[in-house]
Amino acid sequence: MNNNLHIYNTLTRTKEKFEPINAPHVGMYVCGPTVYGDAHLGHARPAITFDIVFRYLKHLDLKVRYVRNITDVGHLENDADEGEDKIAKKAILESLEPMEIVKYYTDRYHRNMDQLNVLHPSIEPTASGHIIEQIELIKTILDNGYAYESEGSVYFDVEKYSKDYDYGKLSGRKLEDLLENTRVLAGQAEKKNSFDFALWKKTDPRHLMHWPSPWSEGYPGWHLECSAMGAKYLGETFDIHGGGMDLLFPHHESEIAQSNACRGHDPVKYWMHNNMITIDGQKMGKSLNNFITLDEFFSGDQELLEKPYSPMTIRFFILQAHYRSTVDFSNEALHAAEKGMKKLFNTIELLDKIVPSEKSSIEVEHFEKKFYEAMDDDFNTPIAISHLFDLSKLVNQVNDGKETLSDIDLEFVKNLYDVFVFDVLGLVNEEEKGDDQLVGQLMDTILNLRKDAKLNKDWSTADKIRDELGKLNIKIKDTKDGAEWSQ
RNA sequence: GGUACCGUGGCCGAGUGGCUAGGCGGUGGUCUGCAAAACCAUAGACGGCGGUUCGAAUCCGUCCGGUACCUCCA
């Protein structure tokens, strides 16, 4: 397929035509979760954003290798003092093995992702499984003179690096500014400059996770894992690197620096960053302690939630905003997403009932074109979805006899929804009737009894059946062609 | 303080110079024994001020308000 995809590249701050380095192969790396807590709504954003990228690239017949890491080693919590490892810290508090926690939260993360219908990445490497690669990387950077050892730890020499390369090219930061702004902070005696970041950190007695290295018993710096694993599985230069905007600096900036210090060139062609989800206008995040976990959304068991919201409602809600915009959480907005998505699926179900006409009064190819235009324009899912709604309105009018669709066009529309809604947008109709045959037959029997009652104008019986089924969470819809039910 | 970004109708949210965004909600209608659902129709907007232009939500200036990053964060 001929692609006309344009991607907004954070590196150049412009939309660029997407030209894979080794077409039809595409390498994509996305920063995954740190597994020391349950996934919240904020984690769903990049997962779904890059799931769409993954799905759409595959739809364009590109061969994508999608790598999403699991950070299980932990980040430096505070460069200024002991540099605590987050995962280890929680382990002490809970008296569990660190790897026990990692396993527990990784499993829960995977379950949430499955619920959101996020496709599994091609490779999901862990930081702890690539300590050797990270140590090799540090050695090379040391050999190339862009790092120095200090008291058993190794730091990246940003000032030295800046003489040969542009530190700040991604985030737009200038070294002088960094210097001014960080100089005030507490004395970090080990480092030459406050903005130098750790490549290897010597462990302290409170740490549970540490590994031997030429410099000390310790653990790798946070930015290193992505450099090591990206290069290992996607090559020294690959196509797309994604992550949240909050990772832009220092994480991604430092990744670029590490690659250059090591290999003399940038690691990535297109940098993509999703924006944040806000709550009351503020970023939803761990540090602000204002997050709602995905499980809480699904169960509705959280004081801020008026009701449970299904995984697909969350997915649709996120897709209704462009990935580079912030999206504000509210019950009203989620409710709107829920209703809107339902409307879309009603149309899709309706398609099976429509009787084709001789000729079409609608030009259906138009909608296919519009959908691709929207997706090609930096994955503009809200626009793509708006076209699906427009088409939906027309399909409803066909059902009302105001518009017509030919045999061929009807199939075209069905296929269009199949491909766009299910394959590309990755939505699933959660209201699907149970495929249990017995239940179906039982429901038919019950609805027939109710039909008889209605024919006899026995409204109290008819209403009782409806109410009793309602208590079982089964909804009855009286349509022109008889009653329908759904769970 | 530095850097980047945003301010669109009751709510969410697209849109970069002229052409209906879309969804939810509201209102009116169709259908129905009633209700719900569904469907159709419809109103309402571009933070303030100034400028550029035949014409600005869209460009420029300014003011006001908000956010993110600079420390772990998706």
Side-chain angles (χ1 to χ4, degrees):
Chain A
M1 194 178 285
N2 228 348
N3 99 70
N4 190 34
L5 175 63
H6 286 69
I7 294 179
Y8 182 88
N9 191 349
T10 311
L11 196 58
T12 57
R13 314 263 164 183
T14 53
K15 283 182 196 167
E16 295 174 16
K17 181 153 170 45
F18 179 62
E19 318 253 19
I21 298 164
N22 294 306
H25 298 279
V26 175
M28 173 160 99
Y29 188 99
V30 174
C31 293
T34 304
V35 280
Y36 63 89
D38 272 334
H40 59 75
L41 188 59
H43 292 95
R45 189 95 196 260
I48 290 172
T49 296
F50 294 104
D51 186 52
I52 293 292
V53 174
F54 186 34
R55 283 170 182 272
Y56 192 59
L57 292 175
K58 288 207 297 186
H59 176 72
L60 296 176
D61 281 337
L62 294 163
K63 312 274 176 254
V64 191
R65 180 180 293 166
Y66 174 19
V67 178
R68 188 185 65 203
N69 67 297
I70 295 276
T71 298
D72 61 348
V73 168
H75 300 164
L76 299 178
E77 197 167 56
N78 189 349
D79 281 68
D81 35 78
E82 58 254 73
E84 189 121 34
D85 181 320
K86 269 195 177 173
I87 289 170
K89 184 180 180 188
K90 191 134 188 185
I92 293 166
L93 291 175
E94 298 182 3
S95 300
L96 288 166
E97 274 300 316
M99 277 308 178
E100 196 176 351
I101 293 174
V102 164
K103 170 72 175 154
Y104 176 78
Y105 285 116
T106 302
D107 284 351
R108 289 171 70 85
Y109 178 75
H110 283 153
R111 189 171 45 79
N112 284 156
M113 292 304 112
D114 284 342
Q115 285 170 310
L116 291 169
N117 201 28
V118 168
L119 296 176
H120 296 194
S122 322
I123 300 176
E124 192 169 44
T126 58
S128 64
H130 296 77
I131 301 295
I132 291 168
E133 287 85 346
Q134 296 182 68
I135 288 174
E136 288 307 309
L137 217 58
I138 299 171
K139 282 183 188 164
T140 310
I141 296 173
L142 275 168
D143 286 349
N144 292 347
Y146 295 111
Y148 55 90
E149 194 187 338
S150 173
E151 322 243 337
S153 294
V154 181
Y155 294 99
F156 192 91
D157 192 337
V158 174
E159 196 169 31
K160 172 84 190 299
Y161 173 83
S162 291
K163 292 194 173 115
D164 303 325
Y165 300 96
D166 180 8
Y167 187 80
K169 66 192 289 185
L170 183 68
S171 58
R173 257 157 249 264
K174 292 188 180 65
L175 205 60
E176 309 89 73
D177 297 336
L178 289 172
L179 202 64
E180 282 175 20
N181 295 320
T182 37
R183 187 178 278 164
V184 204
L185 294 175
Q188 297 154 313
E190 288 183 10
K191 298 200 276 187
K192 283 192 197 168
N193 279 301
S194 54
F195 46 66
D196 289 347
F197 55 89
L199 295 174
W200 188 264
K201 195 77 181 157
K202 185 180 176 182
T203 191
D204 70 66
R206 290 178 57 201
H207 267 92
L208 295 175
M209 295 178 98
H210 46 81
W211 293 264
S213 80
W215 313 284
S216 65
E217 187 78 13
Y219 52 93
W222 169 39
H223 314 306
L224 212 51
E225 59 180 272
C226 294
S227 289
M229 298 189 286
K232 174 164 182 177
Y233 297 112
L234 299 173
E236 289 191 3
T237 311
F238 55 91
D239 298 290
I240 298 173
H241 190 129
M245 257 180 196
D246 47 357
L247 298 179
L248 223 151
F249 189 89
H251 185 52
H252 292 157
E253 190 71 63
S254 302
E255 251 185 88
I256 292 178
Q258 286 164 353
S259 277
N260 278 308
C262 210
R263 310 181 191 103
H265 60 80
D266 267 26
V268 174
K269 192 169 176 188
Y270 304 93
W271 284 91
M272 293 180 69
H273 291 93
N274 64 273
N275 214 320
M276 303 292 109
I277 287 181
T278 59
I279 179 164
D280 294 325
Q282 268 200 318
K283 173 180 156 180
M284 187 182 281
K286 285 202 176 79
S287 42
L288 290 166
N289 210 29
N290 61 353
F291 62 91
I292 306 173
T293 69
L294 290 170
D295 282 334
E296 284 167 348
F297 274 102
F298 302 157
S299 70
D301 192 16
Q302 218 275 2
E303 56 177 14
L304 292 168
L305 300 174
E306 287 167 4
K307 63 190 271 308
Y309 298 98
S310 74
M312 280 307 112
T313 300
I314 301 295
R315 185 171 178 108
F316 194 75
F317 169 68
I318 286 175
L319 293 180
Q320 271 197 306
H322 186 85
Y323 75 90
R324 282 190 286 114
S325 303
T326 56
V327 57
D328 199 51
F329 156 82
S330 72
N331 280 284
E332 215 177 341
L334 278 171
H335 188 69
E338 187 177 46
K339 296 270 289 196
M341 185 175 64
K342 209 173 154 196
K343 184 177 187 167
L344 216 49
F345 281 122
N346 276 331
T347 301
I348 293 171
E349 283 174 11
L350 194 61
L351 282 169
D352 287 328
K353 294 180 199 153
I354 283 180
V355 184
S357 309
E358 281 285 307
K359 278 186 176 172
S360 292
S361 60
I362 303 165
E363 201 208 319
V364 289
E365 285 87 359
H366 165 80
F367 291 94
E368 184 184 47
K369 189 168 152 263
K370 285 295 192 183
F371 187 89
Y372 281 119
E373 271 177 22
M375 292 302 289
D376 282 343
D377 183 17
D378 194 29
F379 308 97
N380 199 330
T381 51
I383 291 290
I385 288 171
S386 80
H387 292 307
L388 295 179
F389 276 117
D390 288 343
L391 179 58
S392 171
K393 180 167 282 188
L394 284 172
V395 170
N396 287 325
Q397 288 178 340
V398 171
N399 188 50
D400 287 352
K402 289 177 189 164
E403 302 280 354
T404 58
L405 276 175
S406 71
D407 222 353
I408 295 168
D409 284 351
L410 183 60
E411 284 309 309
F412 183 89
V413 171
K414 280 184 193 173
N415 183 55
L416 205 129
Y417 274 114
D418 254 4
V419 171
F420 293 161
V421 175
F422 300 110
D423 294 351
V424 176
L425 297 178
L427 295 167
V428 174
N429 191 355
E430 291 165 321
E431 283 225 340
E432 218 118 44
K433 286 165 194 155
D435 45 5
D436 188 330
Q437 254 199 332
L438 180 63
V439 171
Q441 286 164 354
L442 284 171
M443 283 306 299
D444 285 348
T445 308
I446 294 168
L447 288 181
N448 272 328
L449 286 171
R450 179 161 173 271
K451 193 175 154 195
D452 291 343
K454 285 177 74 173
L455 283 173
N456 295 328
K457 296 195 190 292
D458 180 1
W459 309 127
S460 68
T461 303
D463 289 349
K464 194 176 175 193
I465 292 173
R466 186 171 64 194
D467 294 346
E468 292 296 320
L469 287 174
K471 283 180 196 163
L472 299 173
N473 239 340
I474 295 172
K475 289 184 196 116
I476 301 298
K477 278 198 254 177
D478 287 321
T479 71
K480 269 184 249 175
D481 314 313
E484 290 176 2
W485 66 279
S486 60
Q487 278 184 299

